[in-house]
Amino acid sequence: MNRFFSIKLSFSLLPEFLLISGLVVLYFYRYEAGGWFFPLTALAAGTYAIVRFFLSILTRARFYSRMQDVLSTINEFKKGKFSTASNSGQTGKGPFSSLMSELSVMGKHLENILSTQKTEISNLRELYHNIVLSISSFFIALDEKEEIIFANESFCKKFQYELEDIVGKKIDTIFIFLTSTIRESIKRVLQGHEAVVLEKTHLVSANKISIIADIKLTTMVVKGRTQVIFVIDDVTAICKKDFQINLISQVSESIQRDDEIDSVLHAILIGVTSGSGLGFNRAMLFLANPRDKALKGKMAVGPDTMEEAIKIWSSVSECGVDIYSQLKSYNENKEGGGKLIEKVQTSSFSLKDEANIFVRALNSQEHIHVYDAYNDERVSEEIRGFMEVREFVVTPLVSVNKSLGVIVADNRFNQTPIGYDNIELLSIFAFQAALLIESYNNLHMIKKEMGKIRDRQEAMVESEKLAAVGRIASHIAHEIRNPLVTMGGYARRIVQLARDVPKTGESIAKAATVVLKESERLEKTLSNVMDFSRASHFIMEFNNINEVISDTYELLKNLFQERRLKVDLKLDDGIPLVKSDFNQMKQVMLNLFQNAIDATPPEGTVTVATGANGDRITVSVKDSGLGMADDDIHRIFEPFYSTKVTGVGLGLSIVKKIITDHNGEVSVTSKKDGGSEFLINLPIPK
Amino acid sequence: MSMRHGSLAVCVKDHFWEEHAMSKILIVEDEQHQRELYAMELQEEGYQVDQASNGKEAVELVKNNKYDLVVLDIRMPEMDGIEALGKILSRDKKIPIIIYTAYSNYKSNFMTWTADAYITKSSNLGELKEKIAEILASRSK
């Protein structure tokens, strides 16, 4: 630029240069001719030229400096500094001054525009900032490598991170786990798909802050690079309400379904723990057992380790609580918690130990919230070791002022503080569970009583039938015996009187004796068949009891098959013979078999075993039936009715009678629902 | 006639039997042949025997006579043995009563009525006779 100016400068001074050079030539030429005119003129012209020359140089120099000013001002403008123009070029007149003043005005103008825009921008920025702050949404931006490049303040605040600490870190180091749906969605939006909205997703940060969030994933291209934007809305509070209402209705529904109590209680525990971000991490149920004076672990739900917890949480969908499908999947997969369940189910705390915090909650009928188990005096070492957690809550199950047990719950894994609403929820469930247990117990009792009544009724009908048969038989026996007695009595008389009759007397007596003997025989038969109450006239012979059993079994084989009962004969071939009446023994076995058949439901087993024990042989008839209550065992050998008439199938009293008549013993052992065993022993003759 | 026959028999007995012959027995039995059979057999044993064919007659006879023993059937028309037993005992608690019936299973029920013995009817009257002798012997002491 300077060279350009110097060239231009030398060209513009050309006339002066020519004039001065002409004058110099003239001077030297005319001076030789003499005179004063020429030198004077030449001097004047020379002076003028010289002055002009210098003047012009001066002018040009000034122009140049002005020009420099303008250029520097323009340069300043270019740099965006408009205010500098107003400082210079204000003085003097001429084109440059006006130019400068023009520039200055322009500068001022521009500066005005600029400053207005600046305020506007800062206003906008403030507004934007306010908006961002005022909505609860959290923003994070990821680059293509899923590393965080930005997180807004609310995000940092919620998850308790410093921005500097998370920028540049991969997203999976910020959150403990990302569900497969989130991972998928990141990939999808990176591949150019439209925005993805994930509703009610569980997020747990590395520092154990857990929320339920609606997540919107979009992409943004900044300087040619794709960023993934997460807009996270915390919906935990809304979800919680929905979740609780849903849960309560489901549990009530399950109660109405009349399911097994265990599965409903299990459903309650799952309810309390499901929705990992909403419910508790673990829940344990303990029931008071008044008989053993102990609080015993019944069941538990919850993972054993953090890994298990993550596995469960990342597979379970949030809020969409369906306890039954969860219960089902829980039973099928047995997802973790094995150790916890075992630990709880084998635990037992004495009800007398009133210092025990579980027992204390049970007795006081109020929940106990332990914030710091390791420093809370109420918590014993035993419980600390059992719970292995700092914060937990114990809620009693109270029904009609009666404490039935406690539910203990904690957040062992995500360590979320236990809030009031969680405790409230737990109390509701505890109440439901208590009601359920109470009504179940009542129902159970009623069912049991009903069963007893029904059994008694059946027994009454049965014994009434037997009694009716007995009465008829007794009547028939009476009607037969009467004429027999008359016949026999007179025949006997004939025999006596005939002795005095000559000649024919003997043959009359003989004939009458036949009548007498036959009627005596009939009488005896009548007695044997009908009259067990009188000492029977046994035909004592040496019998093998095994044969008696086999014989009787053959007799009842079809009946066993019909009832689909398995008969297991474990007969000891080596048993000695016993002195007994074969038919009587058969009657005994018949009655015991009949009894076993009646007591055993289909597909059951009747086991008959014989053996020798010292000076006695033993016979055992064992069924896999319903067993008997203690009351029944004591009365089982009593006859139903005092008017009982002997005959087939009159029950165990006949068994007892016959065995006692054989100098043997009969006893029974029975467990409710565990079947009964009749044990007979008979003396081995010496 | 049968009574005369009985008293004839008494005449031939010695002093011991005379005492027994004094024993008066009431037979209550609805079946005539049986009743007559018992009466004959017991008279031959030396007892004085009266007969009644039902409970009602028996109660009437007990009102007007003194018996040393009553043999009582159970099933009878008009008034059965159970009712008669109660009525007889309510008049005279000490009178020995033997239940003699074709039923074999009323024993336990009659225990409450404090009958002295319970015997099932048989064509052989030996058991009945033994029981009567036994009871009368214990009473005469």
Side-chain angles (χ1 to χ4, degrees):
Chain A
M1 196 183 285
N2 283 341
R3 223 173 75 182
F4 169 76
F5 268 102
S6 58
I7 294 165
K8 215 178 169 189
L9 197 68
S10 47
F11 271 104
S12 61
L13 290 174
L14 195 64
E16 278 84 4
F17 180 71
L18 288 175
L19 186 65
I20 292 165
S21 8
L23 279 173
V24 168
V25 171
L26 270 176
Y27 172 73
F28 284 106
Y29 192 71
R30 290 298 173 186
Y31 187 72
E32 287 175 19
W36 52 272
F37 176 73
F38 264 108
L40 203 70
T41 319
L43 190 68
T47 310
Y48 167 74
I50 288 161
V51 169
R52 182 71 205 275
F53 178 72
F54 283 106
L55 265 178
S56 79
I57 286 172
L58 210 70
T59 312
R60 255 139 242 252
R62 202 170 157 197
F63 172 82
Y64 177 71
S65 105
R66 283 295 176 96
M67 201 62 189
Q68 283 293 335
D69 278 350
V70 173
L71 281 174
S72 70
T73 307
I74 288 169
N75 271 344
E76 289 294 304
F77 276 22
K78 274 184 185 165
K79 286 177 192 163
K81 291 178 183 168
F82 305 107
S83 53
T84 44
S86 56
N87 295 336
S88 58
Q90 283 281 31
T91 49
K93 287 170 186 172
F96 272 108
S97 297
S98 60
L99 180 64
M100 282 308 285
S101 71
E102 280 293 315
L103 277 174
S104 157
V105 169
M106 210 169 94
K108 269 187 181 165
H109 194 62
L110 283 172
E111 175 141 321
N112 274 345
I113 292 172
L114 199 68
S115 68
T116 348
Q117 276 183 346
K118 239 182 200 166
T119 354
E120 226 162 274
I121 285 168
S122 82
N123 281 346
L124 271 174
R125 187 175 281 171
E126 204 177 325
L127 186 68
Y128 164 81
H129 201 71
N130 284 344
I131 289 169
V132 168
L133 278 183
S134 65
I135 56 170
S136 60
S137 296
F138 316 135
F139 298 97
I140 45 173
L142 309 181
D143 62 12
E144 287 137 320
K145 287 180 283 176
E146 294 178 16
E147 282 171 5
I148 291 178
I149 41 182
F150 171 75
N152 74 343
E153 207 182 315
S154 28
F155 179 87
C156 295
K157 219 167 167 182
K158 178 73 195 180
F159 290 100
Q160 294 171 7
Y161 283 118
E162 291 297 326
L163 184 58
E164 307 89 75
D165 296 341
I166 55 171
V167 167
K169 283 195 178 148
K170 288 208 92 173
I171 184 149
D172 25 11
T173 61
I174 301 302
F175 293 111
I176 285 181
F177 64 89
L178 290 177
T179 61
S180 49
T181 18
I182 299 180
R183 289 177 193 284
E184 290 277 303
S185 307
I186 295 174
K187 277 187 197 136
R188 278 183 59 191
V189 291
L190 276 173
Q191 282 161 7
H193 284 277
E194 281 176 12
V196 178
V197 177
L198 302 171
E199 283 186 341
K200 293 164 185 171
T201 308
H202 185 208
L203 286 175
V204 183
S205 69
N207 45 16
K208 311 278 175 54
I209 287 159
S210 150
I211 62 161
I212 307 298
D214 287 349
I215 303 173
K216 189 180 179 191
L217 284 135
T218 48
T219 47
M220 199 165 77
V221 180
V222 179
K223 290 178 191 165
R225 292 175 68 188
T226 312
Q227 294 183 356
V228 182
I229 308 293
F230 273 65
V231 182
I232 302 166
D233 284 314
D234 186 355
V235 292
T236 315
I238 305 162
C239 261
K240 218 163 219 173
K241 283 275 170 297
D242 284 358
F243 165 79
Q244 289 171 359
I245 290 163
N246 188 356
L247 219 53
I248 289 163
S249 79
Q250 280 202 42
V251 168
S252 327
E253 204 177 290
S254 71
I255 291 168
Q256 287 165 9
R257 271 197 244 179
D258 191 29
D259 278 341
E260 274 300 301
I261 182 154
D262 280 7
S263 73
V264 180
L265 288 174
H266 203 171
I268 286 178
L269 290 196
I270 285 186
V272 173
T273 52
S274 72
S276 46
L278 306 167
F280 291 93
N281 289 177
R282 306 192 299 176
M284 297 155 238
L285 175 68
F286 299 85
L287 292 181
N289 187 331
R291 212 194 309 159
D292 297 350
K293 295 196 166 49
L295 189 61
K296 287 187 169 177
K298 172 86 179 159
M299 56 175 76
V301 171
D304 283 331
T305 59
M306 191 69 199
E307 287 72 40
E308 257 181 38
I310 289 167
K311 206 175 135 198
I312 294 169
W313 293 340
S314 54
S315 67
V316 171
S317 66
E318 290 303 331
C319 277
V321 189
D322 182 353
I323 291 173
Y324 272 84
S325 64
Q326 278 194 39
L327 186 61
K328 214 177 144 208
S329 77
Y330 209 91
N331 287 338
E332 279 167 4
N333 303 337
K334 299 258 176 257
E335 269 185 87
K339 280 182 202 156
L340 177 68
I341 291 165
E342 200 192 320
K343 187 164 84 171
V344 167
Q345 284 182 341
T346 54
S347 69
S348 175
F349 305 99
S350 169
L351 287 175
K352 286 178 192 159
D353 182 11
E354 283 173 16
N356 181 305
I357 194 150
F358 295 172
V359 177
R360 194 187 284 209
L362 184 82
N363 290 341
S364 69
Q365 305 194 346
E366 271 171 21
H367 80 256
I368 300 177
H369 187 172
V370 175
Y371 292 93
D372 184 356
Y374 298 103
N375 293 310
D376 194 323
E377 284 176 6
R378 295 175 297 177
V379 185
S380 64
E381 278 304 324
E382 186 192 10
I383 298 294
R384 281 175 199 167
F386 184 82
M387 293 301 296
E388 297 175 294
V389 74
R390 190 166 289 278
E391 186 180 12
F392 63 88
V393 61
V394 189
T395 305
L397 304 178
V398 182
S399 169
V400 206
N401 290 326
K402 206 168 82 187
S403 290
L404 304 169
V406 292
I407 292 180
V408 181
D410 64 34
N411 286 335
R412 183 165 175 217
F413 298 106
N414 66 8
Q415 288 168 17
T416 308
I418 297 171
Y420 178 71
D421 49 352
N422 286 70
I423 293 175
E424 201 176 29
L425 181 72
L426 191 62
S427 306
I428 292 169
F429 279 114
F431 178 67
Q432 294 250 22
L435 269 186
L436 178 70
I437 293 168
E438 183 77 2
S439 61
Y440 178 82
N441 284 346
N442 289 342
L443 192 73
H444 190 71
M445 217 165 70
I446 290 166
K447 270 186 183 164
K448 203 172 145 189
E449 289 300 314
M450 294 261 286
K452 265 191 195 164
I453 290 167
R454 199 174 50 229
D455 289 351
R456 261 176 219 160
Q457 212 169 18
E458 276 168 12
M460 269 166 72
V461 168
E462 197 58 31
S463 58
E464 190 57 49
K465 268 189 215 161
L466 284 175
V469 170
R471 277 193 287 273
I472 293 164
S474 160
H475 181 72
I476 292 168
H478 179 263
E479 294 305 298
I480 293 172
R481 185 173 274 136
N482 257 330
L484 266 181
V485 165
T486 315
M487 275 163 65
Y490 279 94
R492 191 181 299 275
R493 204 164 168 74
I494 292 169
V495 173
Q496 283 167 5
L497 295 175
R499 284 184 195 137
D500 302 336
V501 178
K503 285 183 192 175
T504 51
E506 204 174 320
S507 47
I508 292 170
K510 215 174 172 182
T513 306
V514 174
V515 178
L516 176 64
K517 289 292 163 200
E518 286 304 302
S519 60
E520 273 180 350
R521 197 155 76 111
L522 265 176
E523 265 187 78
K524 199 171 264 174
T525 310
L526 205 61
S527 293
N528 268 347
V529 175
M530 307 302 290
D531 185 7
F532 256 106
S533 64
R534 294 162 62 85
S536 307
H537 306 288
F538 294 149
I539 306 159
M540 292 298 219
E541 31 187 23
F542 285 96
N543 289 311
N544 187 340
I545 292 297
N546 289 346
E547 272 176 40
V548 175
I549 293 168
S550 310
D551 258 37
T552 318
Y553 171 62
E554 285 300 319
L555 212 64
L556 291 173
K557 215 171 173 179
N558 289 339
L559 189 58
F560 278 115
Q561 273 170 7
E562 198 180 292
R563 299 285 179 93
R564 301 207 302 279
L565 296 177
K566 194 174 159 262
V567 180
D568 197 359
L569 298 182
K570 291 179 178 165
L571 307 181
D572 178 359
D573 292 335
I575 58 166
L577 303 177
V578 289
K579 209 173 178 187
S580 58
D581 182 306
F582 191 85
N583 284 327
Q584 296 275 346
M585 282 296 138
K586 215 165 144 182
Q587 182 77 63
V588 166
M589 290 317 300
L590 205 66
N591 287 1
L592 288 181
F593 273 133
Q594 188 68 50
N595 189 66
I597 288 170
D598 293 343
T600 315
E603 317 298 344
T605 307
V606 176
T607 311
V608 185
T610 56
N613 182 9
D615 58 348
R616 304 208 148 215
I617 69 148
T618 57
V619 182
S620 145
V621 180
K622 197 173 169 183
D623 63 61
S624 64
L626 305 167
M628 289 175 282
D630 288 350
D631 293 358
D632 296 333
I633 292 174
H634 297 308
R635 297 175 51 197
I636 194 162
F637 293 112
E638 287 175 18
F640 277 130
Y641 267 70
S642 54
T643 57
K644 186 173 65 64
V645 171
T646 56
V648 180
L650 276 182
L652 297 166
S653 57
I654 291 172
V655 171
K656 179 140 188 170
K657 170 81 182 151
I658 293 172
I659 297 298
T660 312
D661 287 347
H662 280 79
N663 299 318
E665 286 164 355
V666 57
S667 62
V668 61
T669 52
S670 180
K671 264 186 275 172
K672 194 91 190 87
D673 300 323
S676 307
E677 181 177 10
F678 286 89
L679 206 66
I680 290 170
N681 66 61
L682 290 166
I684 297 169
K686 282 163 191 165
Chain B
M1 187 186 129
S2 57
M3 284 169 82
R4 225 179 293 143
H5 184 80
S7 49
L8 263 174
V10 170
C11 298
V12 292
K13 297 286 172 185
D14 59 16
H15 179 71
F16 173 81
W17 284 113
E18 242 170 48
E19 219 174 274
H20 274 273
M22 296 303 285
S23 298
K24 202 171 172 185
I25 296 173
L26 176 64
I27 303 240
V28 190
E29 167 64 60
D30 60 326
E31 290 210 19
Q32 191 199 341
H33 300 300
Q34 267 182 39
R35 191 172 66 233
E36 286 174 355
L37 179 69
Y38 305 154
M40 279 190 280
E41 298 257 335
L42 289 179
Q43 278 161 359
E44 278 165 20
E45 291 289 317
Y47 300 112
Q48 196 183 335
V49 180
D50 277 3
Q51 298 175 30
S53 63
N54 62 45
K56 212 171 176 181
E57 279 180 33
V59 173
E60 279 303 306
L61 281 171
V62 169
K63 249 189 219 170
N64 304 316
N65 300 278
K66 173 141 176 54
Y67 293 103
D68 298 302
L69 193 141
V70 178
V71 177
L72 190 61
D73 186 22
I74 287 181
R75 236 185 66 166
M76 290 178 293
E78 298 215 36
M79 187 191 285
D80 66 17
I82 300 165
E83 199 181 337
L85 178 69
K87 290 202 165 150
I88 292 167
L89 284 177
S90 66
R91 278 198 81 77
D92 182 357
K93 271 181 194 156
K94 285 177 185 166
I95 188 166
I97 293 174
I98 293 174
I99 301 291
Y100 197 60
T101 174
Y103 287 115
S104 53
N105 50 309
Y106 273 84
K107 190 173 181 175
S108 50
N109 287 7
F110 278 94
M111 287 307 183
T112 55
W113 286 101
T114 62
D116 293 74
Y118 172 93
I119 302 165
T120 305
K121 275 183 192 174
S122 166
S123 57
N124 189 343
L125 294 178
E127 196 184 353
L128 176 68
K129 286 174 186 168
E130 277 170 27
K131 204 61 170 178
I132 292 172
E134 186 191 317
I135 290 170
L136 289 178
S138 67
R139 287 293 163 118
S140 65
K141 272 175 196 169

